[in-house]
Amino acid sequence: MADKTLFITGASSGIGAATARKAVASGWNVGLFARSEDKLAHLVNELGDAALALPGDATDYDALSAALDMLADKFGGVHAAFANAGRGTSQGGTEGGDVDDWQGMIDLNVMGLLKTTKAALPHLKKTKGHMVLTGSAAGRRHLSGSVYGATKWFVHGYGGNLAEEMKEWGGRCTVVAPGMVNTAFFDEPKPDKLQPDDVADAVMLALNASEVNDVREVFLMPRG
């Protein structure tokens, strides 16, 4: 995988940071996109010359496009992008939900993912590259009143459509769909659930697949 480059949103912590570490260990360069400049700087210091900090907001298309251009200039191209940034809601259900909270979540989980993909595709088209989207077990089953789950149903549906679009020019798209993951997404630690490294392993499984292997979805759940 020498000289291949991966762009990651939501890269400063959790699944994004774990994927960056796994990718660099596997020989990839990484572009780390997130709002937290301090956390990105710390991660780049850890990963070294294979990593580039790209501070920005995943709902800002211009920032995404500029970051991808900088990454391509730095490493000579972009071979994969991981639209990982996302969030939940502070209040569950439809009746008890907050409209403004929904709007912020949909802006990131849906529009942010679309903007990331649109910004990345011109680069990926040059390399016959790979788009990875963070889905969820919540996007594969119905959960009572879950608006968050509905945003992940969008990811799964769109991911399949995008895979069909990308295969027209030799690209690939994978949805990585974890169950509950022990990240800052939850207020309380979940040590018995999936860890960020488990999800990062699933991302790398898809990215490192052979040229004839089009991994459309990786679905992983905690045991028990």
Side-chain angles (χ1 to χ4, degrees), residues 99-178:
V99 171
D100 292 335
D101 196 25
W102 289 344
Q103 187 67 63
M105 178 181 64
I106 292 168
D107 285 346
L108 181 58
N109 292 11
V110 176
M111 291 305 301
L113 178 137
L114 286 171
K115 291 174 182 179
T116 301
T117 304
K118 184 171 177 61
L121 282 190
H123 296 277
L124 300 182
K125 205 165 186 178
K126 294 175 184 177
T127 59
K128 294 186 178 180
H130 201 142
M131 194 74 212
V132 181
L133 314 176
T134 296
S136 173
R140 301 177 95 258
R141 58 180 175 161
H142 292 103
L143 302 172
S144 177
S146 177
V147 180
Y148 166 78
T151 69
K152 293 302 182 178
W153 277 80
F154 171 85
V155 174
H156 283 253
Y158 173 68
N161 295 346
L162 181 61
E164 292 299 312
E165 180 180 353
M166 291 180 69
K167 78 175 185 180
E168 295 173 3
W169 42 262
R172 294 185 280 189
C173 177
T174 303
V175 176
V176 173

Side-chain angles (χ1 to χ4, degrees), residues 17 45 84 95 139 143 155 172 178 190 206 210:
N45 186 58
N84 168 66
E95 186 175 3
L143 302 172
V155 174
R172 294 185 280 189
K190 307 287 185 183
S210 73

